[in-house]
C-alpha cells in the first residue's frame, strides 16, 4: 500500500525566494524602481530545505508521496495587482517543479493560481495549463476568496468560475479549495479563515447546482472539511429544507475531505460520519500547527498515526491512504502506474 499525502506545501522554501517576494512587495510601493527578478536558487539549497524537513518527516512517519504545492499563506492574492500575482505565482510554481524534478519519487506538483481580486478567473487558465501540460502537475489550489478575508468574489457555484472549471475538466485535474493569508484582523489565517473557507465552500456547493453542470468536476476541501463533518446533521437538514437532493448524490460525488484534523477524536468522527470513499489522507506537515501535542508526545500534524489507530480493515485504510487519491487525481494514478505502482 502506498501512503499518499494529498496536502503538503513548500513552507520551508529557501530564504532567497521570500527575499524576492519582499523585494516584489517593496516594488509595488516604488514602481519607478527596476522590477525585481525571481531568486536564483541552487539545487543544493532546495535539497537542504527538503531533506531536513518534508523528506525527513515523510520517512520518519512512513509516507511515500506528497502532493506538493507552494506555501498557501504566502499566495496572498490580495497583495498588489494581477501582474504581481502572475509573477509571484510563476516563481512559486517553478520552485515546486524543481522539487519534483529532484525528488520525482517523493513529490508531485500542484499549482498555485495567479488570482487577483476583481480579476476574471479565466486569467488563471494559462498558468493552470502550463503547470499541468508542461510541468507535469496534477492539480491546483483554488482560492475562493482572493481578497484575503473580505469575500468579494462570487460564490464558487457562480458562472464567474465556469471558464476555469471547463479547463479543469478538460485537463482532468481536481482543485483543493484553499484560501491564503487573511488581511482582515477578524480572521486568524489558519485558525479561522481557513476553516471558515472550507465550511463556506461546502455550503455553497450545497446551495447551488454546480455538479449538474460539471458532473466530473472534483474538489478537495482541506482541513477535514472544516466544520462540516462535525455538523453533518445540520448540512443534511439544510439540504432537505432547501429542497436539495440528498448530499450523497448532490455534493459528495464531487467533493472530498482530507485528514488534516490534528487529534484522534476528530479523525474518529470524520470516518464515522463521512463515507470512506470521500476521505483522502493529508497532513499539511510543517504547516499550520507544527508543535508536539503534550497529551500524546507526538506532533499534532503526524496525522498518519490517527488513521493507523482506527479500527478499520486494511482495505479501508488503503482507500484513505492510496485508492481515493488515485481516483481523485487521475494524473497521479497515471504516473504511479507508469512506475509499476
Ligand atoms: Zn494547506
Amino acid at each position: 500500500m502506498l501512503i499518499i499525502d494529498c496536502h503538503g506545501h513548500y513552507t520551508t522554501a529557501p530564504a532567497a525566494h521570500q527575499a524576492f517576494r519582499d523585494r516584489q512587495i517593496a516594488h509595488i510601493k516604488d514602481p519607478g524602481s527596476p522590477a525585481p527578478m525571481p531568486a536564483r536558487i541552487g539545487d543544493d539549497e532546495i535539497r537542504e530545505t527538503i531533506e531536513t524537513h518534508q523528506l525527513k518527516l515523510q520517512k520518519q512517519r512512513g509516507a511515500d508521496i506528497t502532493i506538493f504545492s507552494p506555501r498557501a499563506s504566502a499566495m496572498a492574492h490580495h497583495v498588489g495587482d494581477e501582474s504581481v500575482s502572475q509573477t509571484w505565482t510563476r516563481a512559486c510554481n517553478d520552485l515546486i517543479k524543481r522539487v519534483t524534478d529532484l525528488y520525482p519519487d517523493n513529490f508531485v506538483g500542484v499549482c498555485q493560481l495567479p488570482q487577483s481580486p476583481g480579476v476574471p478567473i479565466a486569467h488563471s487558465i494559462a498558468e493552470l495549463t502550463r503547470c499541468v501540460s508542461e510541468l507535469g502537475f496534477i492539480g491546483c489550489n483554488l482560492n475562493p476568496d482572493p481578497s484575503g478575508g473580505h469575500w468579494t468574489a462570487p460564490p464558487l457555484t457562480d458562472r464567474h468560475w465556469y471558464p476555469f472549471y471547463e479547463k479543469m475538466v478538460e485537463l482532468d485535474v481536481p482543485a483543493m479549495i484553499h484560501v491564503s493569508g487573511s488581511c482582515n484582523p477578524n480572521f486568524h489565517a489558519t485558525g479561522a479563515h481557513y476553516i471558515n473557507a472550507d465550511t463556506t465552500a461546502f455550503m455553497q456547493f450545497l446551495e447551488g447546482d454546480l455538479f449538474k453542470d460539471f458532473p466530473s468536476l472534483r474538489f478537495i476541501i482541506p482541513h477535514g472539511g472544516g466544520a462540516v463533518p462535525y455538523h453533518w446533521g445540520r448540512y443534511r437538514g439544510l439540504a432537505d429544507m432547501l429542497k436539495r437532493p440528498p448530499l450523497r448524490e448532490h455534493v459528495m460525488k464531487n467533493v472530498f475531505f482530507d485528514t488534516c484534523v490534528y487529534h484522534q477524536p476528530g479523525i474518529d468522527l470524520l470516518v464515522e460520519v463521512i463515507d470512506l470513499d470521500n476521505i483522502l489522507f493529508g497532513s499539511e506537515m510543517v504547516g499550520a500547527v507544527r508543535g508536539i501535542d503534550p497529551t500524546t508526545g507526538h506532533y499534532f500534524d503526524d496525522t498518519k498515526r490517527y488513521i493507523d489507530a482506527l479500527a478499520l480493515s486494511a482495505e479501508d485504510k488503503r482507500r484513505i491512504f492510496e485508492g481515493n487519491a488515485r481516483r481523485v487525481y487521475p494524473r497521479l494514478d497515471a504516473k504511479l502506474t507508469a512506475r509499476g505502482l
Side-chain angles (χ1 to χ4, degrees):
M1 169 166 64
L2 285 173
I3 311 294
I4 301 168
D5 183 343
C6 79
H7 193 166
H9 302 293
Y10 198 1
T11 50
T12 59
H17 184 57
Q18 183 58 45
F20 160 62
R21 178 62 164 170
D22 294 343
R23 287 195 305 278
Q24 196 198 26
I25 292 170
H27 181 256
I28 298 168
K29 295 179 190 125
D30 182 16
S33 62
M37 297 293 288
R40 295 170 64 128
I41 295 169
D43 284 353
D44 284 348
E45 288 174 87
I46 295 174
R47 286 196 191 99
E48 160 77 17
T49 59
I50 291 288
E51 289 180 13
T52 57
H53 296 100
Q54 289 84 358
L55 194 62
K56 185 178 89 178
L57 292 173
Q58 255 189 19
K59 291 190 170 134
Q60 276 178 3
R61 298 178 182 181
D64 296 299
I65 300 158
T66 301
I67 297 177
F68 207 51
S69 61
R71 192 172 139 222
S73 60
M75 296 190 296
H77 295 117
H78 55 276
V79 170
D81 62 10
E82 184 184 2
S83 83
V84 169
S85 185
Q86 289 275 2
T87 305
W88 173 235
T89 296
R90 206 177 159 95
C92 290
N93 290 334
D94 287 347
L95 201 53
I96 295 297
K97 167 66 171 164
R98 301 268 305 278
V99 173
T100 64
D101 282 348
L102 287 169
Y103 304 98
D105 292 344
N106 302 94
F107 296 93
V108 59
V110 152
C111 65
Q112 172 178 330
L113 297 169
Q115 295 175 252
S116 191
V119 172
I121 189 65
H123 294 202
S124 289
I125 289 174
E127 181 64 3
L128 175 71
T129 305
R130 180 182 84 95
C131 289
V132 173
S133 302
E134 296 173 32
L135 309 188
F137 288 16
I138 60 165
C140 60
N141 289 334
L142 180 67
N143 186 347
D145 173 31
S147 72
H150 293 289
W151 291 92
T152 54
L156 290 167
T157 48
D158 189 276
R159 287 187 172 271
H160 164 85
W161 303 91
Y162 275 31
F164 190 78
Y165 297 156
E166 283 164 12
K167 183 54 75 172
M168 281 174 59
V169 168
E170 182 194 317
L171 295 170
D172 204 11
V173 294
M176 180 174 277
I177 307 288
H178 210 311
V179 286
S180 183
S182 166
C183 58
N184 181 337
N186 287 289
F187 304 126
H188 181 273
T190 56
H193 187 39
Y194 280 24
I195 307 300
N196 293 349
D198 303 334
T199 311
T200 296
F202 186 86
M203 188 62 208
Q204 291 175 358
F205 295 143
L206 186 161
E207 276 193 282
D209 254 328
L210 180 62
F211 304 119
K212 229 179 224 168
D213 287 343
F214 294 97
S216 64
L217 191 62
R218 299 178 302 284
F219 293 107
I220 300 93
I221 299 187
H223 321 111
V228 172
Y230 189 61
H231 289 278
W232 194 235
R234 172 176 295 256
Y235 293 102
R236 285 198 297 113
L238 278 166
D240 184 53
M241 275 175 59
L242 295 170
K243 308 266 186 288
R244 315 312 294 155
L247 292 177
R248 180 181 286 246
E249 49 194 272
H250 183 50
V251 178
M252 299 309 280
K253 287 184 193 158
N254 306 79
V255 169
F256 305 84
F257 300 151
D258 74 10
T259 62
C260 296
V261 178
Y262 293 155
H263 67 154
Q264 189 69 48
I267 292 287
D268 293 348
L269 181 139
L270 179 70
V271 302
E272 185 179 340
V273 169
I274 300 299
D275 196 322
L276 296 185
D277 285 333
N278 292 83
I279 301 172
L280 274 62
F281 171 64
S283 75
E284 204 173 17
M285 62 157 79
V286 207
V289 180
R290 303 185 186 192
I292 292 174
D293 184 342
T295 68
T296 65
H298 300 294
Y299 284 95
F300 283 104
D301 65 8
D302 186 358
T303 56
K304 181 167 174 293
R305 286 178 176 279
Y306 312 132
I307 317 295
D308 288 339
L310 294 170
L312 292 178
S313 68
E315 197 38 54
D316 281 346
K317 287 183 185 173
R318 183 196 293 270
R319 289 149 80 188
I320 295 174
F321 281 130
E322 177 184 354
N324 296 339
R326 295 180 77 140
R327 204 174 72 249
V328 173
Y329 296 86
R331 286 174 180 267
L332 172 64
D333 184 55
K335 280 178 195 285
L336 296 173
T337 302
R339 280 164 50 190
L341 295 169

